[in-house]
Amino acid sequence: MTRDTLAPRSELPTHDVSNQPGAPPCADLWVTDIALRGWLEAFGGATEDAARLGRQLADPQIHEAAENARHHPPELVTFDRAGRRLDEVAFHPGYHRVLALGLEAGYAALPWEGKAGGHLGHAAILYMFGQVEPGIACPLTMTYAGVPALAADPALEAIWRPRLTSRDYDPSLRPISEKKGATLGMAMTEKQGGSDLRGTSTRAEPDGGAWRLTGHKWFCSAPMSDGFLTLAQTAKGLTCFLVPRWLPDGRNAIQLMRLKNKLGNHANASSEIEYHGALAHRLGEEGRGVATIIEMVHHTRLDTAVAPAGLMRAALGEALWWTDGRSAFQRRLIDQPLMRAVLADLVLDWEGALALAMRVAHAFDGESESDRAFARIAVALAKFLNNKRTPTVIVEAMEILGGMGFVEETPMPMLYREAPLNGIWEGSGNVICLDILRTLAKEPLAAETLMAELDAAKGADRRYDAALASARERWPGHPDEAEARWFAETFATLLAASVLLRHVPAAVADGFVATRVAGQRGQVMGSVDGLDTGTILSRLRPEGQE
């Protein structure tokens, strides 16, 4: 019998339980999210897959599987009983169930199946999954992102792409040629180099038509993937390789040294690995490894820009449920003006994050050079701003629940631990800001498309127009490196405002511009005035629900 089949007792020997909202029901995350549906309608996203997943995520058994995956984290199995090396990771069945649902939903496959709006549909799927179990995002995001990088070698692409874009989950330990579906990981970071990949010390030596890799990787995401894209030094410089996990004659010479003991993302395994003459296939030109693997990085960055919006939405949903169901001082919390001000202020950050994420995903669906140029600059701006806003939103939402928000029986601690992750993954804040400066300096079309997107909202709000003019006056060219964060924050905020002004209800856009662009607010969340809290908070509710 599952926990939700029989109501718990509220009449206890010492007291009656009242004024304590229970867990919110497992909701259809598509039907109940007016904002998400609006963005896919506005930009022409692939809605069928997202709508189906929304229904599936309303299943309490999926939530139970996700909870089990978090509470029973993966374990490294280094040796068998006789001392032979296995180098495997054992996961709870709940993890396998949720990961399988992600693949079946098209998380990794949808953008490459030829449907219109595939990347936007993928973004919606990721956004919803992040509200249930963010731990599956790592392997599925890299599987999705690895597909375009494979174009550098048609022979490898012919073998790997059909498996990576399959909707079948096949966790078996078999070579790629024998699998129905596969996942792909990435292993780039080394101790001495970090984000400076020029410091890579892993070596690659030719071996007939293949290569042998020797070296240590400090971070390997999803070590039980069927293969990894990785970087190693050859005689001609840093080169990209595809390293299969399993070979026709057994295990590749990859050793899992340890699993990382992380702050969060507990359901997912992250590890240190070593290559001990591991067989690898060169991907792309020798000596041009960064240029080859950057396609994967570019697409993973999309997901690190989208995921924060999902985390915010999950936290706000919990806060709204609590304030609807709890009273203090003879009034429901949701009816108290100060609480409404705090919640509405938090919603504006979520609205801005979702607007940026969906607009960037839409650009990934574009096929013109202008679309691609805009995607390159906008994804970095969205990743930077969305991840800087997420921890604050989640902390404030946690505080709304009071002591219950600090208790593991709610999802708030999990969301709190997840909040910093996407800001670190695929380039921390400074790395992203420097990438923004490099992109603007090297790609005039990126700057042109960004400015055109900002200009598209001119005339809608005089405060926005004034802020845009001020920013251009402040930075008529490219800013100095020391101002890169200021520049990124300013233009990412303006970009979010531009998208909101053109697509969402006036009360939401007006509130965002007043508080985030014009600065009509204090330094802490909820220190605002004049917001249309009724309209703003209605964006968290299903249509027609008060």
Side-chain angles (χ1 to χ4, degrees):
M1 180 181 294
T2 58
R3 289 177 297 173
D4 62 342
T5 58
L6 194 63
R9 288 191 300 121
S10 296
E11 298 78 20
L12 305 181
T14 59
H15 65 285
D16 291 345
V17 180
S18 62
N19 200 26
Q20 275 284 334
C26 299
D28 183 328
L29 298 182
W30 172 258
V31 169
T32 57
D33 199 322
I34 299 169
L36 176 63
R37 288 187 282 113
W39 288 117
L40 266 70
E41 180 180 350
F43 294 140
T47 61
E48 183 179 339
D49 296 273
R52 183 187 308 112
L53 178 64
R55 292 192 298 270
Q56 292 172 319
L57 291 177
D59 183 352
Q61 292 186 357
I62 295 299
H63 288 255
E64 186 173 358
E67 189 173 341
N68 284 333
R70 288 193 291 274
H71 290 305
H72 303 278
E75 296 180 358
L76 178 60
V77 184
T78 311
F79 301 96
D80 71 2
R81 60 178 286 172
R84 304 177 184 91
R85 288 203 73 103
L86 293 174
D87 295 295
E88 297 175 11
V89 182
F91 293 89
H92 188 275
Y95 182 83
H96 289 290
R97 179 167 186 180
V98 180
L99 186 65
L101 178 60
L103 285 169
E104 293 162 5
Y107 187 124
L110 178 59
W112 316 115
E113 292 176 334
K115 295 180 183 179
H119 288 281
L120 189 56
H122 158 84
I125 288 170
L126 163 62
Y127 166 83
M128 290 188 288
F129 253 114
Q131 298 174 51
V132 177
E133 178 40 61
I136 67 154
C138 185
L140 295 189
T141 286
M142 290 186 297
T143 301
Y144 148 74
V147 172
L150 291 173
D153 189 307
L156 286 174
E157 184 180 35
I159 297 169
W160 283 83
R161 178 170 174 141
R163 278 86 175 180
L164 298 181
T165 57
S166 167
R167 295 196 180 206
D168 291 321
Y169 178 47
D170 184 352
S172 62
L173 311 186
R174 294 187 292 178
I176 188 68
S177 61
E178 299 177 16
K179 301 199 67 161
K180 298 180 297 181
T183 58
L184 192 68
M186 179 165 36
M188 290 199 297
T189 305
E190 297 185 2
K191 294 177 183 177
Q192 72 285 350
S195 297
D196 186 357
L197 298 176
R198 295 170 300 179
T200 297
S201 63
T202 299
R203 302 295 308 175
E205 302 292 339
D207 181 12
W211 295 74
R212 295 286 175 176
L213 270 55
T214 302
H216 180 99
K217 296 294 181 180
W218 202 22
F219 279 94
C220 174
S221 299
M224 291 312 292
S225 299
D226 295 290
F228 311 111
L229 291 192
T230 195
L231 296 174
Q233 300 284 0
T234 72
K236 294 184 179 180
L238 198 58
T239 303
C240 183
F241 293 91
L242 174 56
V243 186
R245 188 75 179 87
W246 322 107
L247 303 176
D249 60 352
R251 302 165 190 271
N252 206 351
I254 303 171
Q255 294 188 4
L256 306 188
M257 308 310 293
R258 63 169 174 157
L259 299 186
K260 296 289 191 179
N261 186 13
K262 299 169 294 183
L263 169 68
N265 211 239
H266 289 160
N268 178 52
S270 302
S271 69
E272 295 178 29
I273 67 171
E274 287 186 354
Y275 300 129
H276 292 266
L279 184 138
H281 306 286
R282 195 188 76 212
L283 184 64
E285 294 181 39
E286 194 174 346
R288 288 185 51 79
V290 174
T292 302
I293 208 169
I294 201 67
E295 271 298 316
M296 186 176 191
V297 173
H298 178 56
H299 285 77
T300 55
R301 281 185 177 172
L302 170 63
D303 287 14
T304 61
V306 173
L311 298 177
M312 290 186 202
R313 181 64 178 84
L316 289 172
E318 289 286 332
L320 183 67
W321 175 259
W322 181 263
T323 55
D324 271 346
R326 187 164 173 85
S327 298
F329 310 110
Q330 290 76 53
R331 287 186 298 174
R332 288 194 313 159
L333 294 181
I334 192 62
D335 296 328
Q336 300 186 21
L338 183 56
M339 181 60 74
R340 293 176 70 83
V342 172
L343 268 174
D345 204 12
L346 296 174
V347 168
L348 292 176
D349 267 347
W350 161 66
E351 289 274 13
L354 186 60
L356 273 178
M358 296 297 118
R359 177 62 186 92
V360 171
H362 177 51
F364 273 67
D365 279 317
E367 297 180 355
S368 70
E369 188 54 42
S370 293
D371 289 325
R372 289 189 286 270
F374 178 72
R376 283 191 289 274
I377 186 63
V379 74
L381 290 168
K383 171 175 162 51
F384 179 75
L385 185 64
N386 287 359
N387 284 294
K388 292 305 176 191
R389 295 265 171 88
T390 303
T392 300
V393 170
I394 291 176
V395 165
E396 290 286 352
M398 178 185 288
E399 186 177 320
I400 286 172
L401 272 66
M404 282 301 298
F406 209 65
V407 174
E408 294 284 351
E409 288 158 310
T410 77
M412 302 307 287
M414 179 273 288
L415 295 170
Y416 176 77
R417 289 190 294 267
E418 293 289 332
L421 173 61
N422 293 284
I424 297 170
W425 189 23
E426 298 303 4
S428 56
N430 283 0
V431 172
I432 295 299
C433 289
L434 294 176
D435 280 355
I436 290 169
L437 299 192
R438 280 191 291 269
T439 299
L440 293 173
K442 294 181 178 180
E443 297 188 46
L445 186 56
E448 291 174 18
T449 56
L450 174 60
M451 294 307 163
E453 187 76 13
L454 295 171
D455 285 338
K458 285 176 66 175
D461 189 299
R462 58 178 177 76
R463 297 164 299 181
Y464 171 83
D465 293 350
L468 179 58
S470 176
R472 283 173 166 159
E473 182 180 357
R474 170 71 187 164
W475 295 290
H478 305 308
D480 294 335
E481 181 179 313
E483 294 185 0
R485 282 193 172 216
W486 187 7
F487 177 90
E489 178 188 8
T490 299
F491 277 92
T493 303
L494 287 168
L495 181 57
S498 172
V499 179
L500 290 170
L501 282 166
R502 289 175 284 149
H503 294 287
V504 302
V508 176
D510 177 78
F512 188 90
V513 171
T515 56
R516 274 70 179 166
V517 175
Q520 298 170 12
R521 63 179 297 194
Q523 295 297 308
V524 298
M525 301 302 295
S527 54
V528 292
D529 183 42
L531 298 180
D532 181 350
T533 59
T535 300
I536 293 171
L537 293 179
S538 72
R539 300 278 284 174
L540 286 177
R541 301 182 185 277
E543 288 177 291
Q545 186 182 97
E546 294 296 329

